């Protein structure tokens, strides 16, 4: 299929696939934060972090501007997906990482990533079927 200059690919035009892509990226970022927490589980004074829930940070965007570097385009309405403190109980050494909680968060992130992939696969199958390509 020949791509027309200035045209976005079909998948980028579909809101559902944009949301699935954002969910997969959020899940990947959350796994990274959880891994950092687990790696520092014995570090004195380390505070556990987590990302805000996907639903609270996802913004479809519509026709909004997109910043390409920090401070480029500041949107007052955009939500940050920066890690926030999430620890509950503090140990004697000042560390508040709970390995049980971190494993649960890792499982949630994996489930979110799998859901995003399932949406993407289903959308791809629907588009292939509508084009008459069942492979």
């Amino acid at each position: 299929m020949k791509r027309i200059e200035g045209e976005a690919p079909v998948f980028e035009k579909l809101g559902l696939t944009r949301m699935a892509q954002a969910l997969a990226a959020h899940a990947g970022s959350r796994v990274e934060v959880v891994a950092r927490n687990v790696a520092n589980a014995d570090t004195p004074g380390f505070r556990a972090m987590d990302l805000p829930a996907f639903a609270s940070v996802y913004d479809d965007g519509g026709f909004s501007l997109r910043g390409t570097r920090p401070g480029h385009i500041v949107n007052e309405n955009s939500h940050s997906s920066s890690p926030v403190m999430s620890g509950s109980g503090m140990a004697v050494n000042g560390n508040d990482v709970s390995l049980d909680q971190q494993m649960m968060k890792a499982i949630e992130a994996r489930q979110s990533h799998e859901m995003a992939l399932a949406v993407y696969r289903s959308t791809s199958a629907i588009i292939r079927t509508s084009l008459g390509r069942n492979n």
Side-chain angles (χ1 to χ4, degrees), residues 19-132:
M19 183 171 57
Q21 183 179 13
L23 179 59
H26 183 268
S29 296
R30 191 167 188 210
V31 167
E32 182 181 332
V33 171
V34 168
R36 189 176 316 118
N37 289 342
V38 171
N40 288 291
D42 289 336
T43 304
F46 185 80
R47 304 295 307 265
M49 305 289 279
D50 196 7
L51 291 180
F54 175 72
S56 68
V57 296
Y58 178 70
D59 181 17
D60 188 14
F63 294 103
S64 63
L65 300 175
R66 187 180 89 185
T68 57
R69 63 185 180 281
H72 178 216
I73 297 174
V74 180
N75 183 358
E76 300 84 30
N77 299 327
S78 66
H79 298 283
S80 172
S81 61
S82 300
V84 295
M85 296 289 183
S86 71
S88 53
M90 190 149 327
V92 178
N93 67 357
N95 187 310
D96 67 353
V97 176
S98 165
L99 292 177
D100 293 339
Q101 287 178 352
Q102 298 307 310
M103 292 301 108
M104 293 299 293
K105 290 176 185 179
I107 291 168
E108 290 171 2
R110 183 179 139 237
Q111 289 172 336
S112 294
H113 193 265
E114 287 175 356
M115 181 176 16
L117 289 176
V119 167
Y120 195 76
R121 272 190 225 110
S122 296
T123 304
S124 177
I126 290 169
I127 291 173
R128 277 194 309 269
T129 301
S130 68
L131 293 173

